[in-house]
């Protein structure tokens, strides 16, 4: 082992970088505390105003209005109050004054606290405000002032409340006197009023007097549910008749995908750690440059692709209302894709790769296995759709089948081994990698969402036409944007401009898609809290909107200047590939697997998976975006290169922490898959009892 | 629409739209660019060693962190003397039947751009030490170490390239570190990476988004003068180190150096501008100043920084003095 390890690096690097950013942290903290103070003052003002307004009528009324107000009180009395009143009606009544006036203290408190309340922020020279020491001092001064303000608020509030009580007590005294002087006819009216107020239905008007019986088996009474640790969500509905052979195929796809997710993100986690501990190992097969593509390719082609295809094998026959054309071909495709990723991983670690284009690192014979797998799937899906029993082709199939066709086109363009010299390679690389993302990893999961979201919400998709608009505009604009990864490079300027314009055009399909999904939720938002799949969909939809529009923003020329080549792009790709694709896939997997196996994952581990993944993603991406921006600014200022490496160190550490949380969430996911697929459910006591009875009865009959 | 109820029409039309757009934005521009660009007249083919070195560069995934493109924006000026043009990449062809073209332009700049690294850091010794473990020479570096490109020998042969390293990096093992062939090839490739000048008379594209010159000067800096420390950090520190002590057996110290603190300004300026290779115990120094096109102002700033740091306290020089010396050296080179 080398003498550099994680801690060593973290210790030797972080302080320098931290001190560099200390100023910003302090300025941020200062701004935050000022904001909090402003908010508190605002709250104080609003609360005081409310108090004064509510107290107004009590202060402002004269003697002539008093009688009317007392009569109003009597009119508003409840049945119980009337009953009580009638009980005490003839007893002698002595009004008592209980409250003590405390108002004298008020002015005094205002005076002595007022002296402290002056904000000590002076208009120093701006250069001074930038100094760390002065900022720390200001914060230290502000903290007690802030505390004083909070205390002041509560004291004032207390005084106001007491004052109010005092006034109410006086009012009650005069009301009591008035009630004591009521005439007999008033009392008779009150008795009638009480009878009217006491009137109630018998609650048997509709049901009659027969005992209730559930003759149709609609009700299940769950008595004594116990103390719930997690919120109880609805169980998956059992679905009749799913071909067991198809069910096995789909489950195997999803299980393989889970395996690649675990492998790929373990590699990713390790690669992330290497940023803070570069000498953690020095083996050639594990060096950063070789492992990075292992991570990206195995989560792309292993996890996400197999997950998508597995769900596709479930959806396509279902929405076509026929069986899958060939289950055997489905197995062939699964084997080919698994082989492609496994061989590709070994090749990359052994140093055999295609030349360094992102996501194009597998050499073409390896990628050919994947493409053949896709080809088999395409034919299978098309045959199924051709034999469909519905007239229309459901929109899910538009997206998913097109995604497969386009991906085969993309792979052919990028991998035919006879061209792409010089800049041709770069132009095709931009096209390939972005179409891979947009036409495969985006189009296909959108198809999945168009099936599972309405299913889980139990209502149709909001607008079929919006889905179709998004479909065509996605093809029109997304195809153009590949070269925005090479803005300002030597590729033709017009092509760069086309890519930027296309990126802006992506607003249309993204807004159309997001609107469609969110409007489908309309009127069914309450279902989110009952479901453990819908939160995954919701997160996916939110990132679909923000992540995609972030991509548009990144494509502009100025933002390219600032963010290109920095860790910002890494954050962006995780926000999208993870925030959108993974969350959609998880949502659909949690929706479909219980239907196939009849077993559900424990809700507590589903919850752990969800929250760890979401929080981990935030810890991962926000520091990288912030650090990436700082890096870009430092480059623009012409700082020596090595300075930004040191400056990134704390953000890389955060990234490793966030990555660890994400990785942990995948362990939970894998466990949930195990529980849904493999684990035997606890035996049903009632079923067991009946079985035992069935065994015993014939035996007893034999004896007899 | 009815035609979309027929899967052949639906998927046929979607595919036609996608393939058509693919032709327009990918296939046709790619073919046009590969057919209509030729390498620059000054460009050289990679030597066999450099060719093998490039293969090692590709195999180890160096492109994950190192770009090879100078964009036409001002912030990329430090990576080359001009923005990259299509001709720079025109000589790069398909690697072989199995592997694609490797222009290695890259999309991440976690490490420095390497377009012109052959000019910026030509020293084989520095590159070898750096490959063995980057943190020997750049302690903040997060680049992987490549010790498997080297072997440990007790008695190196005459022809072996021995790499001098600080003892601690041998982790207690005895012997001399000898550069393996792959390491030497890799260094040969890095040394071959030089921006080729455009032919006379052709105008390079300009750098866009030029930074506004900051009118307000920092304290203690002569108005308009370059920052000697920043220049040192960016261009000298990799070898001579932050503490000015160099690296024993590889790079000489500047702290207490006779040349830095002595009177021979001509030799000092000559070394900065044109490099130095007179001492066998140290690696050769590149013509840093000439490569970067330093003016007398910048040379004076670096000299003054070196003369006043790490306990050095030699008298400062003015840009005018340096200018005179530079003129004299140029004349000497012109008439040998």
């Amino acid at each position: 082992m080398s003498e550099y390890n994680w801690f060593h690096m973290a210790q030797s690097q972080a302080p320098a970088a931290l001190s560099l950013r200390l100023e910003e942290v302090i300025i941020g903290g200062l701004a935050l505390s000022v904001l909090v103070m402003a908010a508190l003052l605002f709250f104080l003002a609003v609360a005081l105003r409310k108090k004064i307004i509510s107290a107004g009528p009590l202060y402002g009324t004269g003697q002539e209005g008093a009688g009317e107000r007392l009569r109003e009180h009597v009119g508003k009395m409840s049945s119980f109050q009337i009953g009580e009143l009638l009980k005490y009606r003839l007893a002698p009544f002595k009004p008592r004054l209980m409250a003590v006036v405390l108002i004298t203290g008020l002015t005094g408190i205002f005076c002595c606290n007022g002296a402290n309340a002056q904000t000590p922020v002076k208009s120093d020279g701006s250069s001074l405000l930038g100094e760390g020491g002065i900022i720390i001092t200001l914060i230290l001064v502000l903290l007690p002032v802030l505390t004083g303000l909070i205390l002041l608020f509560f004291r004032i509030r207390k005084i106001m409340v007491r004052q109010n009580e005092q006034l109410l007590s006086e009012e009650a005294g005069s009301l009591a006197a008035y009630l004591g002087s009521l005439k007999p006819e008033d009392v008779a009216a009150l008795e009638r009023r009480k009878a009217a107020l006491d009137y109630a239905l018998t609650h048997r008007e509709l049901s009659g007097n027969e005992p209730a019986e559930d003759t149709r088996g609609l009700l299940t009474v769950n008595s004594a549910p116990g103390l719930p640790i997690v919120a109880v969500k609805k169980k998956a509905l059992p679905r009749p008749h799913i071909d067991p052979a198809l069910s096995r195929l789909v489950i195997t796809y999803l299980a393989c995908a889970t395996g690649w997710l675990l492998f790929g993100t373990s590699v990713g986690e390790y690669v992330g750690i290497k940023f803070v501990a570069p000498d953690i190992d020095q083996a050639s097969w594990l060096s950063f440059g070789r492992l990075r593509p292992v991570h990206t390719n195995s989560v792309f082609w292993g996890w996400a692709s197999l997950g998508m295809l597995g769900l596709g094998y479930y959806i396509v026959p279902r929405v076509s209302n026929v069986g899958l054309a060939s289950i055997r071909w489905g197995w062939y495709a699964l084997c080919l894709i698994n082989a492609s990723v496994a061989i590709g991983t070994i090749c990359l670690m052994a140093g055999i790769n295609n030349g360094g284009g992102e996501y194009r690192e597998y050499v073409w014979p390896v990628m050919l296995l994947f493409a053949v797998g896709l080809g088999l799937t395409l034919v299978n899906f098309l045959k199924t759709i051709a034999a469909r029993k519905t007239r229309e082709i459901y929109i899910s199939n538009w997206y998913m089948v097109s995604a497969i066709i386009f991906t085969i086109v993309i792979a052919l363009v990028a991998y035919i081994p006879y061209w792409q010299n010089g800049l041709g390679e770069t132009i095709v690389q931009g096209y390939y990698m972005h179409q891979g993302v947009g036409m495969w990893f985006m189009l296909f999961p959108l198809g999945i969402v168009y099936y599972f979201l309405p299913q889980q919400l139990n209502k149709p998709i909001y607008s079929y036409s919006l889905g179709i608009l998004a479909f065509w505009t996605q093809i029109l604009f997304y195809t153009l944007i590949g070269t925005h990864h090479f803005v300002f490079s030597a590729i033709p300027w017009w092509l760069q401009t086309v890519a930027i314009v296309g990126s802006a055009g992506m607003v249309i399909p993204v807004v159309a898609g997001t609107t469609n999904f969110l409007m489908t939720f309309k009127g069914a938002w309450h279902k989110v809290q009952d479901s453990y799949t819908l939160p995954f969909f919701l997160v996916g939809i939110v990132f679909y909107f923000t992540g995609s529009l972030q991509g548009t923003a990144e494509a502009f020329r100025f933002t390219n200047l600032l963010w290109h080549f920095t860790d910002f792009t890494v954050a962006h790709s995780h926000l999208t590939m993870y925030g959108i694709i993974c969350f959609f896939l998880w949502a659909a997997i949690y929706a479909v697997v219980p239907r196939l196996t009849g077993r559900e994952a424990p809700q507590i581990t589903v919850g752990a998976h969800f929250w760890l993944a979401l929080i981990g993603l935030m810890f991962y991406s926000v520091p990288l975006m912030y650090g990436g921006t700082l890096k870009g600014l430092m480059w623009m200022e012409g700082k020596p290169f090595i300075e930004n490496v040191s400056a990134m160190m704390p953000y890389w550490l955060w990234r490793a922490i966030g990555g660890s949380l994400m990785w942990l969430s995948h362990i939970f996911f894998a466990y949930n898959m195990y529980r849904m697929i493999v684990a035997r459910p606890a035996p049903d006591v009632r079923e067991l009892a009946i079985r035992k009875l069935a065994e015993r009865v014939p035996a007893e009959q034999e004896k007899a | 629409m009815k035609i979309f109820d027929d899967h052949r029409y639906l998927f046929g039309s979607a595919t036609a739209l996608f393939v058509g757009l693919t032709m327009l934005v990918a296939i046709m521009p790619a073919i046009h660019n590969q057919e209509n660009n030729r390498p620059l007249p000054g460009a050289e083919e990679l030597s066999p060693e450099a060719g093998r070195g490039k293969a090692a560069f590709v195999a180890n995934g160096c492109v994950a962190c190192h770009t090879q493109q100078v964009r036409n924006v001002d912030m990329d000026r430090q990576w080359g003397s001009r923005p990259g043009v299509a001709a720079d990449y025109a000589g790069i062809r398909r690697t072989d039947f199995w592997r694609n073209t490797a222009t290695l332009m890259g999309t991440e700049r976690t490490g420095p751009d390497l377009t012109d690294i052959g000019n910026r850091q030509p020293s084989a010794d520095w590159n070898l030490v750096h490959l063995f473990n980057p943190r020997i020479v750049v302690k903040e570096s997060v680049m992987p170490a490549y010790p498997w490109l080297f072997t440990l020998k007790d008695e190196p042969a005459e022809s072996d390239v021995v790499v001098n390293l600080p003892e601690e990096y041998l982790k207690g093992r005895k012997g001399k570190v000898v550069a393996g062939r792959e390491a030497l090839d890799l260094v040969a490739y890095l040394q071959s990476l030089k921006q080729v000048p455009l032919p006379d008379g052709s105008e390079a594209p300009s750098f866009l988004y030029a930074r506004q010159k900051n009118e307000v000067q920092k304290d203690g800096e002569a108005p308009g003068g370059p920052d000697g420390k920043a220049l040192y950090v960016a261009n000298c520190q990799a070898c001579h180190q932050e503490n000015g002590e160099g690296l024993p057996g590889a790079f000489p110290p500047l702290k207490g150096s006779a040349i830095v603190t002595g009177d021979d300004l001509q030799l000092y300026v000559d070394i900065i501008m044109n490099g130095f290779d007179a001492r066998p115990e140290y690696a050769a120094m590149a013509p840093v100043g000439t490569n970067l096109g330093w003016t007398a102002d910048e040379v004076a700033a670096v000299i003054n920084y070196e003369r006043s740091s790490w306990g050095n306290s030699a008298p400062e020089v003015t840009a005018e003095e340096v200018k005179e010396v530079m003129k004299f050296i140029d004349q000497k080179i012109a008439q040998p």
Side-chain angles (χ1 to χ4, degrees), chain A residues 488 493 561, chain B residues 69-84 109 195 203-211:
Chain A
F488 297 125
W493 191 255
L561 207 60
Chain B
Q69 49 171 316
V70 180
R71 299 175 297 169
N72 57 344
V73 291
D74 193 62
M75 63 197 277
D76 272 23
R77 200 185 276 276
Q78 57 174 318
W79 305 122
S81 51
R82 61 167 174 82
R109 209 173 255 172
Q195 241 186 358
E203 201 181 326
S206 50
F207 286 107
L208 307 175
Y209 297 95
R211 204 150 39 97

Side-chain angles (χ1 to χ4, degrees), chain A residues 301 370 374 402-412 439-440:
Chain A
W301 312 125
F370 188 90
L374 276 194
S402 300
I404 299 177
I405 297 173
F406 297 170
T407 307
I408 292 172
V409 171
I410 295 158
L412 286 177
M439 293 307 173
W440 180 234

Side-chain angles (χ1 to χ4, degrees), chain A residues 229-468:
Chain A
I229 297 172
V230 287
V232 179
K233 311 270 177 165
K234 276 192 183 135
K235 298 277 176 195
L237 297 173
R239 296 266 301 181
H241 186 66
I242 293 163
D243 180 6
L246 178 69
S247 178
R248 265 197 304 282
L249 178 71
V250 171
I251 287 174
T252 315
Y253 264 94
L254 299 180
C256 290
T258 310
W260 285 118
L261 174 72
L262 276 185
F263 171 77
T265 52
S266 299
V267 174
E269 166 76 356
Y270 189 59
V271 166
I273 287 173
K274 283 191 167 223
F275 275 90
V276 281
D279 283 323
I280 191 167
D281 79 77
Q282 297 183 342
S284 63
W285 283 50
L286 299 179
S287 78
F288 178 85
R290 296 191 191 185
L291 278 189
R292 183 184 186 269
V294 168
H295 162 64
T296 52
N297 284 287
S298 54
V299 294
F300 276 26
W301 312 125
W303 147 243
S305 300
L306 283 179
M308 283 150 48
L309 286 172
L311 294 165
Y313 275 104
Y314 177 83
I315 297 169
V316 172
R318 206 126 301 274
V319 297
S320 306
N321 213 3
V322 288
L324 184 68
S326 167
I327 288 183
R328 182 185 293 271
W329 279 31
W331 286 103
Y332 291 155
L334 176 66
C335 294
L336 283 167
I337 293 173
N338 269 322
S340 170
V341 185
I343 297 171
T345 298
I346 294 169
C347 284
L348 290 179
M349 289 175 81
I352 299 164
N353 73 53
N354 194 34
E358 267 181 307
Y359 321 135
R360 196 156 58 142
E361 288 96 346
Y362 290 173
V363 288
W364 68 259
V366 173
M367 206 56 187
L368 186 64
L369 298 174
F370 188 90
V372 173
L374 276 194
L376 289 178
T377 307
L378 175 65
V379 174
N380 212 347
F381 283 3
L382 281 177
K383 276 185 176 169
T384 309
I385 291 170
R388 74 187 178 281
K389 296 218 183 86
T390 57
R391 193 172 58 85
E392 316 81 14
I393 301 167
Y394 184 61
I395 189 98
S396 282
N397 286 352
W398 290 40
Y399 278 88
M400 293 192 300
V401 173
S402 300
I404 299 177
I405 297 173
F406 297 170
T407 307
I408 292 172
V409 171
I410 295 158
L412 286 177
V413 169
Y415 269 104
I416 283 180
Y418 298 104
W419 71 312
Q420 297 176 46
N421 292 325
L423 268 191
E425 188 263 353
T426 309
I427 293 168
V428 173
Q429 172 60 27
Y431 165 82
Y432 167 83
M433 78 132 300
H434 222 104
Q435 298 319 303
V437 170
M439 293 307 173
W440 180 234
F441 293 113
M442 201 61 254
L443 215 50
F444 202 108
L446 285 177
I448 292 174
V449 176
Y450 273 108
Y451 175 74
F452 276 108
L453 186 65
Q455 186 221 47
Q456 290 293 299
L457 286 168
N458 201 17
K459 61 197 292 257
I461 194 80
Y462 170 69
S463 162
Y464 215 83
S465 343
L466 268 181
I468 291 169

Side-chain angles (χ1 to χ4, degrees), chain B residues 61 77 119-120 145-146 160 173 213 260 316 324:
Chain B
R77 200 185 276 276
N119 283 322
R120 209 163 61 240
Y146 294 90
D160 282 343
R173 284 170 298 176
K213 284 270 176 276
V260 172
E316 295 210 340
E324 286 300 307

Side-chain angles (χ1 to χ4, degrees), chain A residues 187-208:
Chain A
V187 175
L190 271 177
E191 275 163 349
R192 281 198 305 282
R193 174 72 182 151
K194 178 168 165 36
L197 284 174
D198 284 346
Y199 177 77
L201 294 174
T202 62
H203 300 299
R204 294 195 174 275
E205 282 81 3
L206 294 174
S207 62

